[in-house]
Amino acid sequence: MSEKKCNFRTSIGGQALIEGILMRGPKKQAIVCRTKDGLVEKVEELKAIKSKYPILGWPLIRGCAIFISSLVNGMKALMYSADLVPIEEQGEPDKIDQWINEHFSEEKAKSLIIGVAVVLGIALSLFLFVFLPTFIVGFIKKITESYFIRNITEGIVRIIILLLYMKLCCLQSDVKRLFAYHGAEHKTIFAYEHGKELTVENVRTESRFHPRCGTSFLLVVVVVSILVNSVVKVSNTFARMGCHLLLLPVVVGISYEINRWCGMHDNKLSAILSAPGKWLQHMTTNEPDDGMIEVAIRSMQLVIPDEQGEDEWGK
């Protein structure tokens, strides 16, 4: 479906949950989930971290701060949506969760479980996309003779691992529904940006491929890492891993600024830069049903600010 250009770009963004959606606006975030008893809503006031620590709002630095904040808030929302699933449909908690629940109060246990989940998520990402590509390429002697070729090859391996990881996720039925809610989120944001009334009929016709998606950010990170890591002139595989880890905040910071710029512009350069991310969204978004769209619309309505334009992208 061809996309219409947006005269207004919102900073409101979302995340697909288990049978629900998290929408995050400039002042509030809303979680809306569908249960057997109807829609469940949870609205929370937000306070920008840069208001307390202004340095975290600086260009290049803000990318890492927003990434970590989004990861923690997203995990909290995901666990909230998981708790709404009927007990008979929930799987058995793993051994780590069981141990935490046995040794801590309910409130502390939830905080610890979220913390462990975030740490494990970051650890898995580092292993798959930082350490593993460097380790694999380190065995190919002809490639390791040239720093330039080695760096390019490591980047290609990262992209392959990312695509394989996404493909494996798409095979799971629960993930397919999650990605359909992801599509509903994008369609609703587009309808809002196009100035349409937020109805199921209007939202249904919108594109599910949005240039400011977190999926696009992941792919930009991989590409930017190839450029940034080109400064690493080290042969030892484990030393290279350490250098890549140290340069990761720089990679994330630059990637965020690129995504931010693309979201603010409609021109040939922004279209070229956002095209790979939109292509990847063919895997990470599915067409939603009307019930999913209703959830996305309600979560959007709960975070739209009272003052028109207050949520403009880049403010």
Side-chain angles (χ1 to χ4, degrees), residues 119-131:
V119 170
L120 290 177
I122 292 175
L124 177 62
S125 298
L126 290 175
F127 172 74
L128 289 176
F129 305 118
V130 177
F131 301 142

Side-chain angles (χ1 to χ4, degrees), residues 30-44:
I31 298 172
V32 179
C33 296
R34 185 174 292 282
T35 68
K36 61 181 182 180
D37 298 320
L39 298 185
V40 175
E41 302 174 359
K42 180 182 180 183
V43 181
E44 297 176 312

Side-chain angles (χ1 to χ4, degrees), residues 54-64 253-254 256-257 260:
I55 190 174
L56 297 182
W58 293 5
L60 297 179
I61 296 176
R62 61 191 172 192
C64 290
I254 294 173
Y256 173 79
E257 298 303 327
R260 181 183 174 89

Side-chain angles (χ1 to χ4, degrees), residues 141-254:
K141 289 186 177 180
K142 287 187 178 181
I143 289 178
T144 57
E145 291 174 359
S146 167
Y147 291 128
F148 175 77
I149 296 176
R150 182 171 185 175
N151 185 51
I152 294 294
T153 307
E154 287 173 355
I156 293 172
V157 172
R158 285 190 188 95
I159 293 174
I160 293 172
I161 291 174
L162 176 62
L163 295 177
L164 287 175
Y165 178 78
M166 291 296 186
K167 189 65 177 178
L168 289 173
C169 288
C170 292
L171 298 177
Q172 303 180 50
S173 58
D174 290 345
V175 175
K176 288 180 180 178
R177 285 192 62 81
L178 190 78
F179 286 170
Y181 273 103
H182 191 193
E185 171 222 327
H186 284 186
K187 284 173 172 283
T188 304
I189 291 174
F190 260 136
Y192 172 66
E193 290 182 322
H194 291 141
K196 292 183 178 181
E197 181 183 358
L198 294 181
T199 64
V200 173
E201 292 74 18
N202 287 339
V203 170
R204 192 190 297 131
T205 60
E206 294 291 339
S207 170
R208 72 177 199 263
F209 311 120
H210 203 285
R212 294 188 293 281
C213 175
T215 304
S216 303
F217 176 74
L218 285 177
L219 199 57
V220 172
V221 166
V222 174
V223 175
V224 170
S225 69
I226 297 175
L227 301 176
V228 173
N229 290 333
S230 63
V231 303
V232 178
K233 308 293 184 182
V234 179
S235 299
N236 183 273
T237 296
F238 294 101
R240 286 182 67 84
M241 290 181 184
C243 291
H244 292 166
L245 185 61
L246 290 173
L247 288 171
L248 190 57
V250 179
V251 172
V252 173
I254 294 173

Side-chain angles (χ1 to χ4, degrees), residues 258-276:
I258 292 174
N259 246 36
R260 181 183 174 89
W261 184 87
C262 287
M264 295 172 65
H265 297 83
D266 277 324
N267 54 44
K268 289 184 179 180
L269 180 58
S270 65
I272 292 171
L273 291 174
S274 61

Side-chain angles (χ1 to χ4, degrees), residues 83-98:
D83 288 340
L84 296 176
V85 176
I87 296 176
E88 61 271 16
E89 296 180 18
Q90 294 183 17
E92 288 293 323
D94 58 35
K95 292 183 178 180
I96 296 176
D97 289 354
Q98 288 179 355

